[in-house]
Amino acid sequence: MKIVVAVHVEGAQAVAAAVAFEAWDAAEATKTYVSRIAQVEKPERGALDLRELPCVMQLLREHQLTPELIVIEGFVHLDGDDTPGLGRHLFQALGEQVAVVGVSKKRLPGLSAQYEIEREEETPPLVVTSAGIDIGAAKVRLRSMHGRKRVPTLMKLAARLAKNGE
């Protein structure tokens, strides 16, 4: 099983959602999961924002999820030198046993075009970073995900579930 996770933080609370799927081109989730987090710590000023990490870990524990791969909205690493981002911290928290693919709609100055993929013509590319899976393989799989728009269908679903707390 593979999952796409999303976390929506509002004030001191958050909702984490996961969308499970088997095939990369799946149009629908095989199952969805939602966890409510009562208290989320604010990040320290100037530090990397890792508020979502404990939320994802709680979601995995609460629903006893053991995915082979997790797709997150965000970065696994922040530059070409593999400076750890949220996804790298998640990969490490899972004992480096679960691959993590980070997908972002925005670019970071330290990431070259080799991390970009285009899913739709005339739109900015998505930025893909990964841990536990080769970047080339991650890009191919992300490109094959269902959806005619820039952001894959299952990523949109996870974000909607987290935002609406469904």
Side-chain angles (χ1 to χ4, degrees):
M1 162 182 61
K2 297 169 269 304
I3 62 173
V4 174
V5 296
V7 177
H8 179 74
V9 178
E10 193 162 316
Q13 300 176 335
V15 175
V19 173
F21 63 100
E22 294 298 331
W24 283 97
D25 61 350
E28 296 180 3
T30 55
K31 189 150 179 154
T32 61
Y33 307 89
V34 175
S35 292
R36 286 165 179 61
I37 294 83
Q39 183 65 38
V40 178
E41 300 296 323
K42 289 184 178 182
E44 292 183 32
R45 187 177 199 105
L48 179 63
D49 186 352
L50 296 174
R51 288 180 291 184
E52 294 181 12
L53 181 59
C55 300
V56 173
M57 296 303 289
Q58 178 177 324
L59 174 82
L60 295 174
R61 278 191 311 274
E62 192 173 298
H63 297 283
Q64 299 176 351
L65 299 176
T66 55
E68 65 190 62
L69 183 139
I70 299 174
V71 178
I72 65 165
E73 183 174 333
F75 297 95
V76 173
H77 49 264
L78 305 175
D79 55 32
D81 295 327
D82 294 342
T83 300
L86 172 65
R88 184 68 179 185
H89 287 276
L90 177 60
F91 180 67
Q92 291 169 336
L94 295 171
E96 300 185 359
Q97 300 299 306
V98 179
V100 178
V101 175
V103 181
S104 179
K105 294 180 272 186
K106 63 182 179 181
R107 294 181 175 144
L108 288 179
L111 291 171
S112 68
Q114 80 180 41
Y115 296 98
E116 298 175 357
I117 66 162
E118 291 185 21
R119 285 187 35 93
E120 182 181 23
E121 289 183 30
E122 299 182 21
T123 62
L126 293 173
V127 178
V128 180
T129 52
S130 63
I133 181 174
D134 176 74
I135 186 66
K139 288 168 60 175
V140 167
R141 287 171 176 87
L142 187 72
R143 189 177 285 116
S144 72
M145 288 184 81
H146 181 270
R148 293 183 12 213
K149 300 291 183 182
R150 182 176 178 212
V151 178
T153 303
L154 296 179
M155 288 188 71
K156 288 180 183 179
L157 174 59
R160 187 170 60 248
L161 290 171
K163 186 172 183 179
N164 296 337
E166 296 175 354

